[in-house]
Amino acid sequence: MLASEQLFTYNIETNSLLFASFSAPPNFMNHLKESIFAIVDIETTGSSPIRERVIEIGILRVENGKVTKKYQKLIDPQKYLPPSIQDITGIRPNDLVGAPLFEDIAQEVHELLNGAIFVAHNVRFDYGFIKNELKRSGIIWNAKCLCTVRLSRKLFKKYKHHDLSSIIDRYGFTCENRHRAYDDAAVLWDFMNMIVAEGHGEKMNKAIDELLQTRTLPQFLDEKSVSNLPSEPGVYIFYGPDDEVLYVGKSRNLKYRVMSHFANDHREGKEMNICQQTKRVEVRETSGELGALLLESELVKKYSPLYNRMLRRSSELVLAKRRRTDSYHEIFLERSSEIVPQEYKDTLGVFKNMIQAKEFLKGSCDEWQLCPKLMGIEKSKGACFYSQLGKCKGACKNKDNADEYNLRLAEAFASRRLKAWPFDGAIIIDEKRDDMEKHSFVLDNWCLIANIKTEEDGVEFVSHSPKFDYDSYKIFARYLSDPAHKRNIKPITKRELASILHNESVAESEEYLTTII
């Protein structure tokens, strides 16, 4: 007879563990006997805890090894219920008519959860939704979380799949209404009882201890791989189930930043989605923040990650260029994959797309009384429409002072213009992690010319074609404007630059220099 069988019997009718009167071995069954659990499952209108809402909740509150309260409610989400959710759950919009709002049941839900360890299958999903629903109702709540997916992975490593359907099939559990909140939550309680019944109670106790002492990671991630992350600056990459790149980020402390994603996923829909899909994490260390920023920009362009919407950029930009005339300067828009340094002076603005560019031009006409025809956004014969409204001072009719008009034009683009290169020639920027490791960036006219990595085992030199990159320009412009970085920046002469570019002849370097300086 197993030790576990000597300690308890499982009563199916009362759905509880009946413990023997004699004392158990130290720490054995500790969590089931002494801890309070709230075993929870929810159904929702979608995957984002910020934008979507709960439509059903099921809770089993477990105290001293037995279920003390059962709770099941349909909830009116006050929003559209997608057909895909209806198909999965079987819940129809008509079923929610007359159901309470979450705020109507928030207090009783909070009482059921209060003081309990929050248990769910892929717990971050359910915890994030419940936390946000309670917050909307004015209740601030936090709890320790236990993920039964991770518990299953920890105890039964021989199995490949640990989703709820696989667990139901594996152990022959009864679940009359799959994808309904209470029935799914009840399966989790059956699963925990089964673990103890099969003699794994002590292992489960240890596993729960370990899981409660660590942050809850995405269900696919291996704990060891995250705990071994370096606390150094660099870039991290989140990969999905099919090894697709989900997200690229940078940080001064890689381990802290990666873990912060998993701590905040209940607050932001994007974080939740990332955590749901992340299967592995890759990191690439750098010598400092500048290197991390540049590498992040490079990798985002290379992979176009799903969740890097703010950093993803089309290879083609829209440039607002100035056409100089003897009187009024004109503006025209041009699509381009690069910006030639010699054209900096007449490139007044850089935009992500044509819509953004035209919106800026229209706003500038309104604010600075500029002419839409000269700005290239109105094609008409004679005077522009704005002049009829008194919003254009008459440049299209030669009635505005040309010098004053051109000055207003320059002021309108002041915030969008590329900054002038603040040095007479090339510079080198050094980032040091320690005395043994240094990363140097050679640049001129905002163009990165070379990377030089100096490490204990040697020097790695990578040269770059002198191509202007708008994202790199913004990174360098911010870096150079910070007085704290002044000590890392050193101007270099043409001869020093030619010496640095040791993979090319001096003649080639001199020829290159004459084209960009």
Side-chain angles (χ1 to χ4, degrees):
M1 184 177 287
L2 295 172
S4 59
E5 293 176 309
Q6 296 173 347
L7 291 170
F8 70 91
T9 57
Y10 178 50
N11 189 317
I12 297 176
E13 293 182 0
T14 61
N15 200 25
S16 64
L17 293 173
L18 304 179
F19 294 94
S21 59
F22 54 86
S23 59
N27 204 36
F28 187 69
M29 296 285 290
N30 178 61
H31 283 291
L32 282 182
K33 291 178 67 178
E34 298 179 7
S35 296
I36 300 173
F37 294 93
I39 303 174
V40 181
D41 190 78
I42 59 173
E43 304 302 331
T44 68
T45 58
S47 63
S48 169
I50 303 297
R51 296 186 300 274
E52 305 298 340
R53 304 300 295 268
V54 173
I55 59 173
E56 187 181 33
I57 184 169
I59 304 173
L60 289 82
R61 186 174 173 94
V62 179
E63 301 180 34
N64 296 318
K66 68 177 182 179
V67 177
T68 58
K69 293 180 181 178
K70 300 177 181 179
Y71 188 82
Q72 181 179 20
K73 286 281 186 182
L74 287 170
I75 302 164
D76 181 359
Q78 292 188 302
K79 68 176 300 179
Y80 176 68
L81 185 62
S84 58
I85 300 297
Q86 296 181 46
D87 292 342
I88 292 173
T89 64
I91 299 173
R92 308 301 179 197
N94 287 341
D95 298 328
L96 304 178
V97 174
L101 306 179
F102 195 95
E103 63 187 49
D104 298 330
I105 63 168
Q107 194 58 50
E108 58 191 41
V109 168
H110 182 248
E111 290 175 4
L112 286 164
L113 301 179
N114 194 32
I117 295 169
F118 188 91
V119 183
H121 213 60
N122 193 5
V123 72
R124 304 204 70 83
F125 180 87
D126 302 74
Y127 182 73
F129 267 92
I130 298 300
K131 188 175 181 69
N132 276 283
E133 290 283 16
L134 289 173
K135 185 178 179 180
R136 293 186 190 102
S137 303
I139 299 173
I140 303 302
W141 164 79
N142 293 286
K144 288 186 176 181
C145 293
L146 175 63
C147 180
T148 48
V149 173
R150 299 192 68 80
L151 181 63
S152 179
R153 286 180 182 278
K154 210 167 185 57
L155 295 176
F156 306 108
K157 297 179 180 178
K158 63 181 180 180
Y159 297 115
K160 183 177 179 180
H161 301 292
H162 299 269
D163 57 279
L164 196 56
S165 293
S166 296
I167 287 175
I168 291 170
D169 293 341
R170 185 183 307 152
Y171 302 109
F173 293 139
T174 299
C175 185
E176 293 183 7
N177 300 294
R178 182 71 176 94
H179 295 298
R180 292 299 297 267
Y182 181 82
D183 295 69
D184 286 357
V187 168
L188 300 183
W189 177 230
D190 291 341
F191 177 54
M192 295 175 73
N193 282 303
M194 182 281 305
I195 294 172
V196 180
E198 289 194 349
H200 303 298
E202 197 163 1
K203 289 182 180 179
M204 182 173 75
N205 186 60
K206 183 180 178 181
I208 292 175
D209 271 331
E210 292 176 357
L211 291 171
L212 290 177
Q213 290 171 9
T214 59
R215 302 189 192 198
T216 307
L217 300 177
Q219 59 174 317
F220 298 115
L221 266 190
D222 175 62
E223 293 175 25
K224 189 175 181 180
S225 66
V226 176
S227 63
N228 290 337
L229 290 175
S231 299
E232 303 293 343
V235 168
Y236 57 94
I237 307 171
F238 288 164
Y239 290 90
D242 298 320
D243 222 35
E244 72 277 24
V245 176
L246 299 175
Y247 185 77
V248 175
K250 59 85 185 171
S251 178
R252 296 178 182 178
N253 184 321
L254 286 166
K255 185 173 184 178
Y256 178 83
R257 182 67 186 99
V258 168
M259 293 302 293
S260 73
H261 278 277
F262 309 142
N264 295 333
D265 65 344
H266 61 271
R267 292 201 290 269
E268 298 182 31
K270 184 181 80 171
E271 299 284 5
M272 171 66 79
N273 290 333
I274 291 174
C275 287
Q276 293 294 313
Q277 299 175 58
T278 298
K279 192 166 186 178
R280 71 180 179 95
V281 180
E282 176 188 330
V283 298
R284 302 185 189 183
E285 295 181 47
T286 62
S287 296
E289 189 176 15
L290 178 60
L293 284 165
L294 292 170
L295 182 56
E296 177 191 36
S297 176
E298 176 189 336
L299 294 178
V300 167
K301 288 185 180 69
K302 180 178 179 180
Y303 294 121
S304 294
L306 177 61
Y307 294 107
N308 282 97
R309 295 188 183 94
M310 294 300 292
L311 290 178
R312 283 189 302 183
R313 183 184 301 285
S314 168
S315 59
E316 191 174 72
L317 298 167
V318 175
L319 310 181
K321 291 190 172 183
R322 172 175 53 188
R323 183 182 294 113
R324 297 172 185 264
T325 67
D326 293 335
S327 55
Y328 306 105
H329 294 171
E330 300 175 1
I331 298 296
F332 64 97
L333 299 178
E334 181 180 277
R335 299 181 189 273
S336 179
S337 59
E338 62 178 308
I339 305 173
V340 181
Q342 293 91 328
E343 298 178 0
Y344 284 179
K345 289 183 179 180
D346 287 323
T347 300
L348 300 189
V350 182
F351 303 91
K352 292 186 295 184
N353 52 55
M354 192 64 72
I355 294 175
Q356 185 190 53
K358 289 182 177 180
E359 286 179 351
F360 177 82
L361 295 181
K362 184 179 183 302
S364 298
C365 289
D366 292 334
E367 183 177 356
W368 296 93
Q369 292 185 287
L370 300 173
C371 176
K373 288 185 67 176
L374 298 179
M375 293 286 273
I377 56 175
E378 181 184 321
K379 294 181 179 179
S380 61
K381 295 181 179 180
C384 71
F385 180 65
Y386 269 28
S387 66
Q388 301 174 36
L389 302 176
K391 297 171 67 175
C392 168
K393 288 190 173 184
C396 48
K397 298 183 291 186
N398 291 314
K399 290 185 177 180
D400 195 357
N401 182 283
D403 291 336
E404 291 181 3
Y405 179 90
N406 294 337
L407 180 61
R408 295 202 308 274
L409 179 68
E411 289 175 341
F413 278 95
S415 64
R416 304 292 310 197
R417 289 199 65 174
L418 299 174
K419 295 182 179 180
W421 178 242
F423 301 95
D424 293 332
I427 63 170
I428 187 167
I429 301 174
D430 290 332
E431 273 198 326
K432 292 183 180 180
R433 183 189 296 180
D434 50 46
D435 293 337
M436 303 303 295
E437 184 174 335
K438 181 174 70 172
H439 194 167
S440 301
F441 305 91
V442 182
L443 59 149
D444 193 4
N445 246 342
W446 304 115
C447 297
L448 183 63
I449 301 169
N451 278 320
I452 306 169
K453 291 183 180 179
T454 306
E455 298 177 332
E456 188 175 5
D457 56 352
V459 177
E460 178 185 351
F461 178 91
V462 179
S463 62
H464 300 273
S465 60
K467 182 179 179 181
F468 181 91
D469 178 82
Y470 186 56
D471 293 307
S472 297
Y473 155 76
K474 291 194 294 183
I475 292 170
F476 287 129
R478 284 194 299 267
Y479 185 91
L480 295 179
S481 65
D482 188 342
H485 298 144
K486 187 174 181 181
R487 63 181 181 275
N488 301 329
I489 303 166
K490 176 190 173 184
I492 54 178
T493 65
K494 291 183 179 182
R495 186 171 294 278
E496 288 173 323
L497 178 58
S499 177
I500 289 171
L501 299 175
H502 57 274
N503 288 356
E504 301 175 12
S505 69
V506 174
E508 288 173 332
S509 298
E510 290 289 337
E511 182 181 355
Y512 158 71
L513 286 167
T514 60
T515 66
I516 68 168
I517 297 179

